[in-house]
Amino acid sequence: MKFTVADLLDQLSTDHSSEPDQLAKILRLSNKTDKASLDLAITSLVKIGVIQQSSEGGLTRPQVSELIDARLRCSSKGFCFAIRDDGGEDIYIRDHQLNHAWNGDRVLVRVTREGGRRRSPEGGVQCILERATQSLLAQVEQQSEQLLASPLDDRVLAGIELPPEDSKHLPGDEVSSVVEVRIDRYPVAQHLAAGHIVRSLPLNGGPAADRDLLLTKAGLQDRPAAPRSSGKTPATKGRVDLTAQPSLLLKGWRQEDAPGLPAVHVEAKDGGCRLWVHVPSVGERIGTGSSLDACLRDRGEALCLGEIWQPLLTPALNKATTFSSGSEADAISVRLDIAAGGEVTDWEFMLSSVRPAAAVNADQLIALAERKPKARSIPAVLKPIKDQLGQLETLRFCCTLLLDQERSCGAVQLDLCPPQLEALGDLRSADPSGLRHRWIDAFNPMDPHSFLQPLLRAADRAWTAQRHALQLPGITIEADEPDGSVMTDVAKTAIALDLPLELDDDGCPSASELIQAFQDSNHRRVLEQQLSHALPPLSLVASTETTSASADSDVEEAVPTSPNTPLTPWTCATQHYAHLVNQLLIVALLSDAKDRPTVRHKTRLKLGLKGVGTDLTWPLFTASQDEKLNGLVNDRTLQRLNTRRRQVLELEKDLLSMIQARSAQLLIGQQVEGLISGVQSYGFFVEVGESRVEGLVHVSSLNDDWYEYRSRQNRLVGRKNRQTYQLGDSVQVRVINVDALRNQIDLEVISQGSAGSTEPKSSESLPVALSER
């Protein structure tokens, strides 16, 4: 079909009916076959209650429905849960209730059994809204007379029938490879899914082949065709001329095709500082609903593949918006006044023209960090920015103020930078937005993006406050609260390592309390890794306001500083389409909004200025403009952007794992020292080598004793010799086998090393301290 059920439901309202012919026109279904598919879909959806059809044939969505919109998440062991879009409790789906839905599919679920205190609700898939898998990696198998593709992703619990001519791809002894299979028909009734092989992919073809494998695995190998347009030319009228300001470009990425980044300027002010953030004005060049806008929306995110990029922007648009030293460019700027305590006390948004004075890279920051404080000579690498060294010091002071303020408000800061492997390319640098994870990154004075992160978050917070004050829509980024039981498990692990931590009666410490306990521990990094797994991921959420009414003067305009407060990001529109949508709203405010009640009034309001909402007594936009702006943040766009965000994060994780595994292949047969990074009942994981690749010592290989797993202390203990293996211990291992595609590294213990601690003969568990509260 040329449409999905989700596409069909997007065109239906609960209030107004739509005719089938009208839907066919909207969905661009012209031939008889496509229209017959639409009629069949409508008939089926009416029968199961997803849509309603009147006696005249009009179609609507029911006002109230028992069906829940969710995304299916399956594990390799066959357990499947429906993750609800509304944030409600996950629904367990038994295999016979999947109705041929696969991992990642968007589905409608009916709850069949309510949950209890320790039991998730159960349900069944009633309808598949949208398939997540159009192609996949697989290996070809011959089963009796059937030729099947077995997916490498063991979360896809299905085999795919192949035509006989694909038998030429059966595995042989010459070249080790996998195949890309395109799905032609999804499973229905007793019939398996059917597909055909698109191409064969080598497993050991070098870095380019590895990237191709991972793109295919993530479903990102087919990139939407890009129009050549660089978009509209920004207007010159109404721009603030800031070309005389010596702003700096902080460039951590080294690849030429990397996305453009903001420029910043800072100066000391009243014990604090005044900060300017200048962002490339992508939003002014994009026509909403244009072919260029549609292309960027489909792409969703820029992809960093280590040594190469697949940018979000088209080449022409990227060239037109990227800042360079000494060149004038159009920008969206915000001026932030930051007090001595790190609070943002004032701000103003504006359209501007800027001319960055210099670019600062990682090599220069390294030289600056290594330079002696009283040295008179300037290293050669620093001479191009010698006039900006004072501003860099002020910039570092500004970052310190903002980071201290974030931590004082409960933000979780973790020091989990990736290994500095050359093959990682631009993935070695921190994400400049600082919004990749639920935590904030520890400050690294040698990484330009580490400087940018707190500055860009401050700019995002200022727009969040301004947007709320003026009741503008936007796309926010937020996260759920951490699971208390998982946080308690992390705390128990810390207590087992003799860290000074107490559990209250509920047994659920905060992330900030855990960080404080980890701070001076020798096991800090492995404990922070455990904590990072307990923090829920960030997601994009639509926030729609009513701008046709006058702004409420009582709306709180303070900059949000709580880590749980949703932010409205806009500063990295060259990387993320969600940022671009928010930038479009800023442009609309500064260019199209009414800054006075009528043309007769001579006094105009500065709509980008903090506190302007108290003087605003008229609608900012017309009703048609309101409708257009709110249409930018519709639910369907958010679902697609969240899906793409998950794909990109998984791709980056897989790329890091692949590069680490390739480095481990060089260690096969060698004895190396490693650090125990996790303990389970089936064995323990060990980080080895410069790449910090993680391998498994399976419990079956520990043949010197019978080992018991003590989950409370997160350790394995030998029954006879009392030998223990626990988190953070050092251990000597040998690398036995490496599967780079599945990221499976098998290890065996050589000697006990410093992990060779012996537990007392008593088998009593370590005590857990409880507070009196």
Side-chain angles (χ1 to χ4, degrees), residues 365-423:
L365 290 181
I366 292 171
L368 185 62
E370 294 175 348
R371 184 188 180 202
K372 295 181 179 180
K374 296 183 179 181
R376 294 183 178 181
S377 60
I378 298 178
V381 71
L382 292 178
K383 287 184 178 179
I385 60 169
K386 64 179 181 179
D387 295 335
Q388 307 302 331
L389 297 181
Q391 186 180 176
L392 279 175
E393 290 299 325
T394 307
L395 200 61
R396 181 168 181 172
F397 169 69
C398 182
C399 291
T400 302
L401 289 182
L402 292 170
L403 286 170
D404 288 345
Q405 171 69 5
E406 287 180 314
R407 286 194 298 268
S408 68
C409 293
V412 178
Q413 179 176 287
L414 302 180
D415 190 4
L416 295 176
C417 64
Q420 297 301 295
L421 299 174
E422 191 70 26

Side-chain angles (χ1 to χ4, degrees), residues 109-342:
V109 175
R110 176 176 279 115
V111 174
T112 57
R113 181 180 178 182
E114 296 296 333
R117 184 177 180 183
R118 296 186 178 181
R119 186 184 71 245
S120 298
E122 295 185 20
V125 174
Q126 302 299 302
C127 177
I128 299 173
L129 295 176
E130 191 171 34
R131 290 286 188 175
T133 304
Q134 282 76 45
S135 66
L136 46 77
L137 290 177
Q139 290 181 320
V140 184
E141 299 177 357
Q142 184 75 50
Q143 295 185 6
S144 300
E145 299 181 358
Q146 234 177 5
L147 189 66
L148 293 178
S150 178
L152 289 185
D153 187 348
D154 51 12
R155 298 171 299 176
V156 178
L157 312 174
I160 296 97
E161 288 183 342
L162 298 175
E165 55 266 26
D166 282 343
S167 60
K168 62 184 178 182
H169 293 283
L170 282 167
D173 299 330
E174 296 181 2
V175 180
S176 180
S177 66
V178 295
V179 295
E180 178 188 353
V181 176
R182 185 83 62 183
I183 306 299
D184 298 322
R185 184 197 70 213
Y186 292 97
V188 57
Q190 73 273 22
H191 301 287
L192 294 176
H196 66 280
I197 294 175
V198 177
R199 55 180 176 154
S200 179
L201 296 166
L203 290 180
N204 298 295
D210 285 348
R211 288 192 293 266
D212 201 7
L213 272 170
L214 296 178
L215 281 169
T216 306
K217 179 183 176 183
L220 296 171
Q221 71 277 25
D222 297 324
R223 197 158 175 80
R228 296 183 179 180
S229 171
S230 62
K232 301 181 295 184
T233 302
T236 56
K237 185 179 179 180
R239 308 196 82 85
V240 179
D241 187 357
L242 298 174
T243 54
Q245 188 186 86
S247 56
L248 299 178
L249 286 171
L250 298 165
K251 302 179 69 172
W253 291 322
R254 298 174 184 266
Q255 306 304 320
E256 292 185 0
D257 54 353
L261 289 173
V264 296
H265 174 73
V266 67
E267 53 195 43
K269 183 178 183 294
D270 300 332
C273 52
R274 171 165 284 184
L275 169 69
W276 296 79
V277 178
H278 307 300
V279 179
S281 186
V282 184
E284 286 187 273
R285 295 178 175 270
I286 304 300
T288 306
S290 66
S291 59
L292 181 57
D293 179 43
C295 169
L296 301 184
R297 183 173 61 250
D298 289 342
R299 288 183 173 187
E301 302 255 349
L303 305 182
C304 180
L305 302 175
E307 297 176 336
I308 65 170
W309 280 83
Q310 289 191 2
L312 167 67
L313 306 184
T314 63
L317 185 57
N318 191 53
K319 181 179 179 181
T321 56
T322 299
F323 292 161
S324 60
S325 302
S327 299
E328 185 173 342
D330 300 309
I332 302 173
S333 299
V334 59
R335 185 259 306 158
L336 304 169
D337 286 351
I338 302 168

Side-chain angles (χ1 to χ4, degrees), residues 582-601:
N582 291 324
Q583 201 177 96
L584 285 167
L585 292 159
I586 297 177
V587 171
L589 174 68
L590 299 177
S591 302
D592 303 327
K594 294 175 62 176
D595 56 5
R596 51 182 172 169
T598 66
V599 293
R600 298 176 183 175
H601 287 72

Side-chain angles (χ1 to χ4, degrees), residues 502-569:
E502 293 186 354
L503 300 181
D504 57 24
D505 292 336
D506 296 329
C508 184
S510 69
S512 298
E513 290 171 334
L514 290 173
I515 288 294
Q516 187 65 31
F518 299 166
Q519 191 168 9
D520 299 322
S521 171
N522 294 330
H523 307 305
R524 175 179 176 178
R525 191 167 65 81
V526 291
L527 287 169
E528 286 191 352
Q529 284 180 326
Q530 298 284 319
L531 178 58
S532 71
H533 299 322
L535 298 174
L538 295 168
S539 60
L540 300 170
V541 178
S543 177
T544 305
E545 306 287 349
T546 305
T547 63
S548 57
S550 61
D552 185 353
S553 60
D554 293 330
V555 174
E556 179 62 42
E557 295 186 53
V559 174
T561 52
S562 169
N564 299 321
T565 303
L567 287 183
T568 311

Side-chain angles (χ1 to χ4, degrees), residues 72-86:
L72 201 63
R73 184 178 66 195
C74 299
S75 73
S76 58
K77 300 185 182 299
F79 298 107
C80 294
F81 287 86
I83 312 302
R84 299 173 57 159
D85 285 350
D86 60 9

